């Protein structure tokens, strides 16, 4: 399986996927830390995370997969949502919480 197939499988078999630097418990950059906090504050009790620092193929491949140059990257039900700034903006206007609730992945859903 090539790296694009691996990524496609990850984002389509997990309802919420966050490609990040580090882990949810120990983020390795401020943007990844913010992304994790946004998901937690949005009521997502658990999500699949991929530490791109552990695999250069994934780190480079995910940028090509979504045609998005930065990490973190959030996927909900196989759809690319965006990076940290987009997540923050969507959280602030309530759009992210609505999307996550509609996807059935929040503790309130």
């Amino acid at each position: 399986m090539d790296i694009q197939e691996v990524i496609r499988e990850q984002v389509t078999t997990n309802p919420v996927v966050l490609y990040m630097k580090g882990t949810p418990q120990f983020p390795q950059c401020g943007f990844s830390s913010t992304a994790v906090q946004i998901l937690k504050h949005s009521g997502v009790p658990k999500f699949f995370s991929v530490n791109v620092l552990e695999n250069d193929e994934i780190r480079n491949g995910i940028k090509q997969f979504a045609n998005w140059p930065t990490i973190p990257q959030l996927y909900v039900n196989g759809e690319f949502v965006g990076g940290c700034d987009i997540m923050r903006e969507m959280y602030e206007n309530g759009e992210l919480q609505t999307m996550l609730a509609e996807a059935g992945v929040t503790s309130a859903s």
Side-chain angles (χ1 to χ4, degrees):
M1 205 179 328
D2 80 358
I3 201 65
Q4 295 300 310
E5 291 169 351
V6 169
I7 293 168
R8 187 171 293 104
E9 182 177 321
Q10 289 173 337
V11 301
T12 58
T13 60
N14 297 284
V16 178
V17 181
L18 183 65
Y19 290 87
M20 62 181 292
K21 293 178 180 175
T23 66
Q25 297 78 18
F26 298 104
Q28 298 293 305
C29 82
F31 296 113
S32 291
S33 179
T34 298
V36 168
Q37 292 306 310
I38 288 170
L39 288 174
K40 287 181 180 177
H41 289 297
S42 297
V44 179
K46 64 179 183 173
F47 56 91
F48 184 79
S49 66
V50 179
N51 181 356
V52 301
L53 299 177
E54 292 179 342
N55 185 326
D56 276 342
E57 269 193 290
I58 293 255
R59 185 178 188 167
N60 295 318
I62 194 61
K63 294 175 184 180
Q64 296 170 346
F65 185 80
N67 196 25
W68 191 259
T70 59
I71 293 163
Q73 291 185 16
L74 176 67
Y75 292 80
V76 176
N77 285 341
E79 296 290 322
F80 175 63
V81 176
C84 183
D85 290 343
I86 291 172
M87 288 177 68
R88 182 183 292 124
E89 184 179 311
M90 289 177 70
Y91 176 78
E92 288 171 355
N93 69 26
E95 199 178 338
L96 184 62
Q97 296 89 320
T98 300
M99 173 191 289
L100 293 166
E102 288 173 356
V105 296
T106 60
S107 52
S109 56

